[in-house]
Amino acid sequence: MTALMNHDEFRTALENAIKGKSANKSPFSIAWASGKLSRDHLSRWAENHYNYVGPFADYLGYVYGRMPAEFQEAKDFLLANMYEEEIGGDRHTDLLIRFAEACGTTSARVKNPDNMSPTTRALQSWCYCVAMREDPIVAVAGLVVGLESQVPSIYRRQTPTLREKYGFTDEEVEFFDLHIVSDEIHGERGYQIVLEHANTVELQQRCLKICEVGAEMRLLYTTALYRDYVQHELPLTDLDMAA
């Protein structure tokens, strides 16, 4: 039987569960970072991404409602995260729509769920399922560690390209700048909650598995964006997949 890991061992295991599955490795992300996507491609990303991250406060709300009352710091984190997403300044989805409109699509198209791909719908459904059915600590591991903690590393590669190669303004890319900072904080808080409260062998193993699955889901979602919207115009042979 696997032994209970101390915090350092468990932290390393959580990081390793995600390692090698980063969405940065998808052809869509590589094409983006190298400036090979069109604004039309970026529009399709925004339309899909809205339907994935738009309900993020809803996902966290389901976890918050089921989090044990004695885990007050975890409940406070979830509530603060929801507040930042929805009313703590500019609503994050409004910033995403601003970027989408700068790419050439419309708010109406972004908000229309018919414009997300089947793979995006699957990711959204997985997030709802995790939020509503998993142990709350396991859900934090999946949604915050497995998904949200990846965001800064992804956007740090993509955001400079948006300015330098596509010519977007600081206002138009505020969505990305904001999440580079906020999701680094959220990801670390998620790690700390999981490290503290996954205090049995079973919980640790479930958290490791859901982090792995969450990373795989995001990689699958991002790869599907290339397959569904880009590959007929930009074949894999035109990408430096070693990037």
Side-chain angles (χ1 to χ4, degrees):
M1 181 177 178
T2 304
L4 185 70
M5 291 175 274
N6 64 38
H7 283 193
D8 289 341
E9 293 169 335
F10 189 30
R11 173 67 181 250
T12 299
L14 289 166
E15 292 171 349
N16 287 339
I18 301 170
K19 191 177 296 182
K21 304 174 186 68
S22 168
N24 277 323
K25 295 182 176 293
S26 77
F28 190 89
S29 295
I30 291 169
W32 183 329
S34 58
K36 294 182 178 179
L37 296 178
S38 67
R39 288 195 176 219
D40 212 38
H41 297 146
L42 294 173
S43 293
R44 302 292 82 75
W45 172 85
E47 291 161 5
N48 279 271
H49 206 65
Y50 178 90
N51 285 284
Y52 157 43
V53 301
F56 215 86
D58 294 345
Y59 310 150
L60 298 179
Y62 285 112
V63 182
Y64 176 87
R66 298 188 302 108
M67 185 68 70
E70 61 268 27
F71 295 175
Q72 189 61 57
E73 82 295 341
K75 292 181 75 75
D76 289 348
F77 160 71
L78 293 167
L79 194 61
N81 198 338
M82 287 185 278
Y83 175 83
E84 289 177 25
E85 289 283 344
E86 296 296 328
I87 54 178
D90 290 324
R91 191 183 300 267
H92 290 192
T93 48
D94 289 344
L95 299 179
L96 178 55
I97 290 171
R98 181 194 298 167
F99 172 72
E101 291 175 334
C103 292
T105 188
T106 66
S107 176
R109 276 194 59 86
V110 171
K111 293 178 179 178
N112 186 345
D114 290 341
N115 290 320
M116 65 171 147
S117 77
T119 308
T120 303
R121 194 178 299 276
L123 175 58
Q124 184 196 77
S125 299
W126 182 82
C127 290
Y128 275 119
C129 183
V130 168
M132 289 189 279
R133 297 180 62 183
E134 289 287 353
D135 178 283
I137 297 303
V138 176
V140 170
L143 296 172
V144 181
V145 177
L147 292 177
E148 199 172 14
S149 74
Q150 286 194 60
V151 170
S153 68
I154 296 169
Y155 288 173
R156 282 194 182 100
R157 296 187 66 184
Q158 295 174 340
T159 308
T161 305
L162 293 175
R163 288 187 169 94
E164 296 162 9
K165 294 196 175 183
Y166 294 97
F168 289 102
T169 66
D170 290 344
E171 185 180 42
E172 290 167 343
V173 300
E174 186 179 355
F175 174 84
F176 303 92
D177 291 334
L178 175 65
H179 283 84
I180 288 171
V181 177
S182 66
D183 285 354
E184 190 155 47
I185 297 169
H186 295 166
E188 182 56 34
R189 288 289 293 116
Y191 269 109
Q192 294 306 316
I193 289 167
V194 172
L195 291 174
E196 180 176 355
H197 295 296
N199 52 11
T200 67
V201 172
E202 179 193 8
L203 270 179
Q204 286 187 343
Q205 293 304 310
R206 287 172 65 188
C207 287
L208 289 173
K209 183 61 179 178
I210 206 164
C211 282
E212 180 182 356
V213 173
E216 289 172 342
M217 290 292 292
R218 184 161 191 150
L219 178 57
L220 180 64
Y221 150 74
T222 313
T223 300
L225 295 176
Y226 170 79
R227 184 196 64 226
D228 293 340
Y229 305 112
V230 180
Q231 71 175 355
H232 63 288
E233 300 174 28
L234 185 66
L236 287 175
T237 52
D238 290 353
L239 296 177
D240 180 7
M241 293 300 291

